[in-house]
Amino acid sequence: MAGWFDSHVHLDFWRVEEVPGVIRDAQQAGVEKILTVGRGVISSGANVWIAQRFGNVLAGVAIHPLWPDPMDGAAYDELKALTRNDKVVAIGETGIGVGRSPETRDQQRRKFALCIRLGRETGLPIVIHNDRESGADIIEVFEREKGMEVGGVMHSTMIDINSARPLWQMGVFISIGRQINNPDFKYLEEVVQKVPDDNLIIETDSAGGGTLPHHRNDATPAKLLEVAATVAKLRNTTMDHIREVSVRNTNKLLHL
Ligand SMILES: [Zn+2]
């Protein structure tokens, strides 16, 4: 049986000695491939380092919108240097979202715009953090900065159908995360039911989702199948079909 692809993980959240076990458990659960994404310059470097050591792991580099690192010239150049590694296949995690962060909305918009520029300069797609309210801002910046030249994915989608639809219509992928199993996010069921097969991806966002970019959650890539089971049920289809669609779309997003 072909394997699953967890399109959004923060492997640098685990202690270094735990990382091989996390990857092994994922493989035992059928999660063959992992995209691990950075939050700042050091975190991005750590994820590239991990990806270099595990054949089934790929990396994204960026500064997270809730992370206080500035996206100044030095950071831009360091991230750009990391993209020269062949295991780096995306600019992420970037985006716009609320949270207990010192970053203002304007700072987040600027950082997001610079990350899209880095994506266009390096030919790499954009991994977009979002929340329920940030859809309009994301659409505005992504269009203005011509993000579709490289494409992108709304990761752990929290926007509702009104923002999700225009995004998938412009070709952005909609990645569904563990929120789909949380009753507080009931409104996401409509997004899951209506997004076309050609735009659907799934992920776990382990172990770093939340309103603070350094809060660890208890998810692991092996929990991808719990997300898949709910998505399959809501779309009235099989797990096999969800796997086939999500893996195909993740490969397409990452130009693999
Ligand atoms: Zn994340």
Side-chain angles (χ1 to χ4, degrees):
M1 191 180 84
W4 296 82
F5 195 149
D6 191 345
S7 69
H8 194 105
V9 178
H10 297 268
L11 284 174
D12 65 320
F13 266 72
W14 281 275
R15 296 204 315 271
V16 283
E17 62 272 31
E18 295 174 305
V19 171
V22 172
I23 294 171
R24 199 171 45 241
D25 289 351
Q27 284 176 316
Q28 268 160 17
V31 180
E32 211 166 65
K33 291 177 89 176
I34 291 171
L35 175 68
T36 186
V37 295
R39 289 161 290 153
V41 173
I42 292 172
S43 155
S44 293
N47 282 300
V48 175
W49 187 91
I50 293 167
Q52 272 186 290
R53 272 146 192 87
F54 296 92
N56 61 328
V57 179
L58 296 160
V61 301
I63 297 179
H64 192 290
L66 303 180
W67 198 251
D69 282 11
M71 183 64 163
D72 54 14
Y76 188 97
D77 289 346
E78 285 196 68
L79 292 173
K80 191 175 156 193
L82 287 171
T83 67
R84 293 195 192 103
N85 188 298
D86 323 330
K87 297 304 282 291
V88 177
V89 293
I91 301 301
E93 154 171 9
T94 176
I96 299 174
V98 292
R100 283 174 291 146
S101 153
E103 299 293 277
T104 65
R105 183 55 64 111
D106 264 1
Q107 284 171 317
Q108 289 194 13
R109 288 168 61 93
R110 253 195 318 275
K111 267 172 26 177
F112 182 39
L114 283 164
C115 283
I116 298 169
R117 275 176 226 173
L118 179 60
R120 288 176 59 216
E121 200 186 335
T122 56
L124 297 175
I126 315 296
V127 179
I128 310 168
H129 172 88
N130 62 98
D131 66 40
R132 193 169 182 175
E133 264 78 55
S134 61
D137 260 13
I138 287 169
I139 292 170
E140 196 270 311
V141 177
F142 197 70
E143 283 188 320
R144 188 188 70 217
E145 297 295 332
K146 304 185 180 69
M148 274 320 291
E149 275 186 17
V150 286
V153 58
M154 292 297 274
H155 114 77
S156 270
T157 293
M158 289 197 242
I159 51 171
D160 64 17
I161 190 81
N162 298 318
S163 296
R165 187 181 277 116
L167 280 158
W168 82 57
Q169 283 172 343
M170 72 171 93
V172 172
F173 292 97
I174 303 294
S175 180
I176 302 300
R178 289 171 299 106
Q179 288 86 356
I180 201 60
N181 287 324
N182 177 340
D184 293 347
F185 292 88
K186 190 96 183 123
Y187 68 93
L188 285 178
E189 290 182 359
E190 192 182 3
V191 176
V192 172
Q193 282 162 338
K194 292 190 175 154
V195 60
D197 265 8
D198 283 348
N199 299 85
L200 175 70
I201 285 177
I202 59 170
E203 62 168 85
T204 62
D205 198 12
S206 47
T211 53
L212 278 170
H214 57 273
H215 269 190
R216 181 162 158 171
N217 61 46
D218 63 356
T220 65
K223 294 195 178 170
L224 187 66
L225 280 81
E226 295 174 12
V227 175
T230 308
V231 169
K233 196 164 139 218
L234 285 167
R235 289 171 74 82
N236 201 15
T237 185
T238 61
M239 298 269 284
D240 272 357
H241 183 70
I242 296 300
R243 189 190 63 241
E244 185 258 308
V245 161
S246 179
V247 171
R248 169 167 37 91
N249 290 337
T250 305
N251 285 333
K252 193 172 165 201
L253 164 75
L254 303 175
H255 314 144
L256 299 176

